[in-house]
Amino acid sequence: MSNRPRGLLFVVSAPSGTGKTTLVERLVGQMAGLTISRSYTSRAARTGETDGVDYNFVTRARFEAMVARGEFLEWADVFGNLYGTSVADTELLLESGRDVVLVIDVQGARTVRHRGMETTAIFVMPPSLEVLEQRLRGRSQDSESAIRERLRIARQEVVSYVEYDYVVINDELVATVDGLRSIILAQRARLARMRGEAEKIVRTFT
């Protein structure tokens, strides 16, 4: 049994194409004790993606069975594909003392919030609609109709930033990662998190 305090749960959301996954992967690579939650998805793996590393790729039938058994903390249908966060996987990481980042959309973030879980929610915004469109086209992963649909959804999602605790603008990768890192460090230093360690130090003074 770990003596570390229960981990903190972070939620990071952004419109598709903003770069949230790249940002969080870079952040996790820089910070000890921080891990990204690996989602389950019904979609096929893209070129370069690995099952059990990027996502847990499952069939739609298996995903729907997991939904029926209540195995997801949150799940959503995103552009026709199902994505979900495992309750068991998340709890295991938090209980081990690791801080966990959920990279999920606005729908998923609302579901987690409605479940009453204590989270720190961060919304990542693109610098503008024009920049977002350039990034989506630069990925060369989607058809024209898919890009237009992602932009339509983005227009709806950006106004949801008011539901989050923090907002960062992804205009430059290094600076944006630094901003996210500052948020993680600030949450780790909160009194509720540090009281036990602080009291141990105080006892050495008495």
Side-chain angles (χ1 to χ4, degrees), residues 31-161:
M31 301 191 74
L34 183 69
T35 189
I36 185 171
S37 172
R38 185 170 61 246
S39 298
Y40 285 76
T41 182
S42 66
R43 74 163 171 79
R46 294 171 180 153
T47 302
E49 291 182 332
T50 303
D51 183 34
V53 177
D54 299 287
Y55 288 94
N56 293 312
F57 294 99
V58 298
T59 64
R60 192 176 188 92
R62 182 183 170 194
F63 192 105
E64 291 172 345
M66 294 175 72
V67 171
R69 292 193 295 266
E71 295 182 17
F72 288 122
L73 175 62
E74 59 80 33
W75 69 275
D77 186 326
V78 183
F79 303 110
N81 295 306
L82 305 178
Y83 294 83
T85 303
S86 165
V87 174
D89 292 353
T90 303
E91 280 298 318
L92 188 64
L93 289 168
L94 293 172
E95 286 299 324
S96 74
R98 295 186 67 81
D99 297 331
V100 179
V101 184
L102 305 183
V103 182
I104 55 180
D105 69 357
V106 170
Q107 296 177 61
R110 287 171 179 159
T111 300
V112 173
R113 188 160 53 248
H114 291 161
R115 289 177 70 108
M117 294 194 70
E118 185 175 346
T119 67
T120 299
I122 306 166
F123 194 86
V124 181
M125 299 189 81
S128 68
L129 178 62
E130 292 74 20
V131 170
L132 180 62
E133 183 172 358
Q134 290 170 11
R135 291 175 181 175
L136 285 170
R137 294 187 183 284
R139 298 194 312 187
S140 301
Q141 293 179 342
D142 301 306
S143 65
E144 180 63 26
S145 61
I147 289 173
R148 290 182 180 179
E149 177 65 7
R150 290 181 188 278
L151 292 173
R152 184 186 70 80
I153 297 297
R155 288 185 176 92
Q156 298 173 357
E157 291 182 330
V158 290
V159 297
S160 301
Y161 76 90

